[in-house]
Amino acid sequence: MKFHSRPRFRRVSSLRFLQIKERDLKIIRLVHAHRFLRSSHILSLIAGSRQNISRRLQCLYHHGYLERPRAQIDYYHRGGSRRIVYGLGNKGASLLKQQTRGIRWGEKNRAVGRQYLEHAVLVSDVMVAIELACRKTQRVRLFTREEFPKIPKSTRWSVTIGTNVKLGVIPDQMFGLEITRETGQMERAYFFLEADRGTMPVIRKNLNQTSLYRKLLAYEATWSQDLHRSLFGIHRFRVLTVTKSAERVRNLVDACQKLKRGHGLFLFADETTLKTAQSLLNHPWQSGRTQEKGTLLD
């Protein structure tokens, strides 16, 4: 059987022995860190021949170290040419010693729904673009929430609005940038990321119903109640929202105007930014303040 003739979403039964090499471990760790990655993400983050890495990805999938979520299968049946998305497989999870309480990562990743997968991949699009931008400069280092002054026990917390409205906050990602200024001074900036695929209403009349305005309100309350200090030990933060279109950005900025304070916490960009910006670090994001822009390095 020729290598390229292997099926995309069904593992072959007859395989040669696969010896896991250091680059394989890097790939597996990378996929685990992001949950889901396109093959193009992996090719851009792992050094080496693109052809060899692509072949290795196929090997790691067919040997069970990586998973290809089946939510992609409809797209390929329609003749699409999108890059395959990978998640962690059971053997990969075992290799990283991450399996706990009987969770089978391969089955969990294989059966994930299409909406969740597309949302998760948008998060990865943003984080990979930021990581690649950091790699191009020696002045900025990307770090994860494990390096926050207080390592959060959970990525979820609650805020109280008024006297009786409690809202939960669950960022799609938490990360930081360590920035070395031209003066040599080192600073740290902290971010919460929200990926909006346009499926959630911007505003609803009832705060008990999910909406993007409710998220804005919850982050504003996090800041005004100093929860970022008590929970994470950080003195300030920004909330990045990447959404589907420039029109959606305008709608989100309009929703920001309904907040009593904290408009400067928010930065917005549409997906086109990911494809056209030379660097997400220096790209002017739309602020929650009308007619104001800011960068991740401000």
Side-chain angles (χ1 to χ4, degrees):
M1 179 182 288
K2 293 183 179 181
F3 190 86
H4 59 75
S5 66
R6 291 177 176 175
R8 282 194 176 109
F9 299 101
R10 178 175 55 82
R11 291 189 174 95
V12 297
S13 56
S14 58
L15 294 167
R16 294 180 180 179
F17 172 75
L18 180 66
Q19 181 180 358
I20 297 298
K21 301 178 180 180
E22 182 59 33
R23 189 169 62 185
D24 298 326
L25 284 172
K26 289 182 179 179
I27 291 172
I28 293 168
R29 291 190 186 108
L30 188 67
V31 172
H32 175 252
H34 287 271
R35 180 70 194 275
F36 294 109
L37 285 176
R38 303 182 198 274
S39 59
S40 54
H41 292 149
I42 299 168
L43 290 169
S44 66
L45 292 170
I46 298 290
S49 162
R50 296 177 65 88
Q51 185 178 41
N52 289 342
I53 294 173
S54 295
R55 288 177 175 173
R56 207 62 182 176
L57 287 174
Q58 291 190 46
C59 281
L60 291 170
Y61 164 68
H62 284 287
H63 280 267
Y65 290 93
L66 296 179
E67 189 56 74
R68 291 173 175 173
R70 295 186 64 82
Q72 307 169 86
I73 199 167
D74 290 342
Y75 184 86
Y76 286 96
H77 282 170
R78 295 195 301 269
S81 58
R82 187 181 302 177
R83 295 285 189 172
I84 289 179
V85 174
Y86 288 91
L88 189 65
N90 285 332
K91 284 188 178 179
S94 179
L95 189 63
L96 297 180
K97 299 181 180 179
Q98 292 296 322
Q99 284 184 289
T100 58
R101 298 182 182 178
I103 292 176
R104 297 183 61 81
W105 279 93
E107 291 181 2
K108 188 175 181 180
N109 287 337
R110 182 166 56 251
V112 71
R114 184 172 7 179
Q115 286 193 355
Y116 181 90
L117 180 64
E118 290 179 351
H119 177 269
V121 171
L122 177 55
V123 174
S124 294
D125 286 340
V126 180
M127 294 308 302
V128 169
I130 292 174
E131 182 169 350
L132 291 174
C134 289
R135 289 186 181 187
K136 292 179 180 178
T137 175
Q138 296 180 347
R139 296 194 305 109
V140 186
R141 182 179 71 88
L142 174 68
F143 61 89
T144 65
R145 66 176 182 268
E146 282 72 24
E147 291 188 48
F148 279 36
K150 289 184 179 180
I151 300 177
K153 295 179 180 179
S154 171
T155 57
R156 175 175 184 149
W157 66 94
S158 297
V159 298
T160 302
I161 308 297
T163 58
N164 59 0
V165 178
K166 181 170 279 192
L167 304 179
V169 189
I170 314 175
D172 290 323
Q173 191 58 270
M174 301 167 61
F175 69 95
L177 298 176
E178 188 174 77
I179 307 163
T180 303
R181 302 296 182 185
E182 293 182 358
T183 61
Q185 181 181 0
M186 187 175 293
E187 300 176 2
R188 282 193 162 197
Y190 300 89
F191 300 92
F192 301 134
L193 172 65
E194 292 288 343
D196 168 41
R197 295 187 54 256
T199 57
M200 183 182 294
V202 175
I203 296 179
R204 286 181 171 179
K205 294 181 179 180
N206 190 341
L207 284 180
N208 291 323
Q209 296 176 305
T210 58
S211 70
L212 290 173
Y213 175 68
R214 191 173 81 161
K215 289 190 176 188
L216 300 177
L217 196 62
Y219 281 117
E220 188 275 335
T222 298
W223 172 69
S224 63
Q225 297 171 22
D226 277 338
L227 294 181
H228 56 297
R229 296 179 187 270
S230 60
L231 293 174
F232 311 116
I234 60 179
H235 67 284
R236 65 190 294 262
F237 67 90
R238 306 293 294 272
V239 181
L240 309 180
T241 301
V242 176
T243 188
K244 296 293 290 184
S245 66
E247 180 183 3
R248 185 83 166 177
V249 168
R250 290 191 292 271
N251 291 338
L252 286 168
V253 174
D254 289 343
C256 255
Q257 306 315 300
K258 299 182 180 295
L259 300 175
K260 293 182 179 180
R261 54 189 302 198
H263 307 91
L265 293 173
F266 302 97
L267 293 175
F268 303 96
D270 62 78
E271 284 188 72
T272 304
T273 297
L274 301 179
K275 301 175 183 178
T276 61
Q278 292 185 352
S279 169
L280 284 192
L281 300 178
N282 298 306
H283 186 84
W285 295 57
Q286 174 61 53
S287 168
R289 297 190 180 107
T290 308
Q291 306 300 323
E292 182 178 299
K293 294 183 183 294
T295 75
L296 303 192
L297 303 183
D298 290 342

